[in-house]
Amino acid sequence: MSDAPLELKKHVGAIHVKGALTLLQRKAVNALLFNAYHELPDDSVKEHSIRIADLARALGFNSKNFAALKDTLGGLVETKVEWNALDPDGREEWGASTLLAGVTMKEGSGMCRYAYYPPLRHLLYNPAVYARINLDIQTRFTSQYALALYENCLRFVRTGSTGWLPVADWRGLLGVGEGQYPAYKAFRQHVLSPAVKQVNSVGHIEVEMETRREGRKIADLRFLIRQGIPAALLGPHSTEGAGGEEGSTEG
C-alpha cells in the first residue's frame, strides 16, 4: 500500500450493502478498495495485489490465523451489492455483482490477488456521492455494527444529520441478520446503543440517535452528526482484531 494518507473515497452504493458482513469483512472491503483505487480506471489491470502482511495490518489482524483471513475474503465473493447510476444521457442503469469477483492467496508468495466486476470498479472510482473512510481509524473498531454506523454517518457530516429512515432500513444498513433482535428494545440494547458508544469513543465524529414514533411504536431513527476529535489527536487504541468475537458490541 502507498504512503498516501490512509483515507478512502467509498461509493455509497458499496457502503449500503444490506447484508450481515462481519467486522473483518467490513474492514477488508475498505482496505482492498484503498489499495486498488488508483488502478480502477485502467482496464488493462485485470486484478490487484496486496501483501498479506499489509492487509492483515490494515485490518488490525493481530493473529497468525490466516484461515480466518481466507474465510473473511471468501465471504466477500458471496456478498451481493446492487447499485443504481445514471449514464451520460441521464438514463438510469441498475447493476448487481458481488463485492469481489474473485480472490486468491498462494502459500509462500505472501501475496493476495483480487478482482472487481468491471462495471463496479468504474463506479467505485467515480463515486457520485462518497464518504471518506479513514483506514487508521477503522482498525480501532471492535464491533461490525459500530463500523457500519460510522460508515453510514460519515457522508452526512456536513449536513449534520442522516435524515429519518425506518427502523427496518437501519437494521439492514447495520448488517443485522434476519431474526436477530426482532424487538426494538433488544435491537437498541445490543446494536444501536453500543454502536453509538463506540463511534463516539474511537471515531473522529460524534453521533446522537433520535427516534420518531408512530403511536406507541418506534418507527424511524436518525443520527445527528458533528465533528469530533481529529484523528491525529486520538491516542493509541488497542483492539483484539481477529482475536475477538465477530459479533461483539463491547465498546
Side-chain angles (χ1 to χ4, degrees), residues 167 171 181-190 192 209-211 213 217-221:
V167 170
R171 290 175 58 87
Y181 314 121
Y184 173 76
K185 182 178 180 180
F187 177 46
R188 181 191 64 201
Q189 177 181 353
H190 296 287
L192 296 171
M209 186 177 75
E210 292 190 332
T211 61
R213 292 179 178 270
K217 180 181 177 182
I218 300 295
D220 304 302
L221 304 174

Side-chain angles (χ1 to χ4, degrees), residues 152-231:
N152 282 288
C153 286
L154 272 182
R155 63 177 287 219
F156 297 105
V157 170
R158 291 187 178 180
T159 58
S161 169
T162 60
W164 294 103
L165 286 175
V167 170
D169 286 2
W170 281 111
R171 290 175 58 87
L173 293 176
L174 299 185
V176 178
E178 290 189 24
Q180 282 188 295
Y181 314 121
Y184 173 76
K185 182 178 180 180
F187 177 46
R188 181 191 64 201
Q189 177 181 353
H190 296 287
V191 177
L192 296 171
S193 295
V196 168
K197 181 179 179 181
Q198 188 162 105
V199 168
N200 290 341
S201 66
V202 307
H204 64 300
I205 59 174
E206 295 178 357
V207 301
E208 178 184 351
M209 186 177 75
E210 292 190 332
T211 61
R212 186 164 66 182
R213 292 179 178 270
E214 287 184 1
R216 299 180 63 182
K217 180 181 177 182
I218 300 295
D220 304 302
L221 304 174
R222 74 173 177 181
F223 292 87
L224 304 181
I225 307 152
R226 58 184 177 273
Q227 287 283 1
I229 301 173

Side-chain angles (χ1 to χ4, degrees), residues 136-137 140 201-203 229-238:
D136 289 329
I137 288 179
R140 304 168 185 264
S201 66
V202 307
I229 301 173
L233 300 182
L234 292 170
H237 182 88
S238 61

Side-chain angles (χ1 to χ4, degrees), residues 2-3 8 21 37 42 46 59 134 140 145 160 163 178 199 243:
S2 72
D3 294 329
L8 166 70
L21 291 177
Y37 188 76
D42 186 349
K46 303 301 182 185
L59 304 187
N134 186 296
R140 304 168 185 264
Y145 303 136
E178 290 189 24
V199 168

